[in-house]
Amino acid sequence: MRGAVTSTLRRYGVNGCAGRVAGEFGEHPETAARRMSWALQMVREAYEDLAAHDFAYAG
């Protein structure tokens, strides 16, 4: 899973990823919160071990 997240972030960047996800809600904005929560959870799981380190972004 981390490989897919890393590859996608490198390809589109953070803003590009957010834009692509947001674009999917054009006809169905009621699904935005659920899908964005899912996407955030996938990123958290992919980088869970790094988040425990002192150098992790605390944003």
Side-chain angles (χ1 to χ4, degrees):
M1 180 172 26
R2 183 184 291 184
V5 171
T6 300
S7 173
T8 302
L9 284 170
R10 284 184 180 150
R11 183 172 181 184
Y12 299 110
V14 172
N15 290 336
C17 287
R20 292 177 71 86
V21 172
E24 294 296 320
F25 303 123
E27 293 184 24
H28 302 285
E30 70 280 1
T31 65
R34 182 173 46 88
R35 291 183 68 193
M36 290 296 279
S37 292
W38 172 83
L40 182 56
Q41 184 61 34
M42 293 298 102
V43 172
R44 284 182 178 145
E45 287 178 17
Y47 294 94
E48 187 173 37
D49 60 325
L50 292 177
H53 295 284
D54 292 335
F55 59 84
Y57 175 70

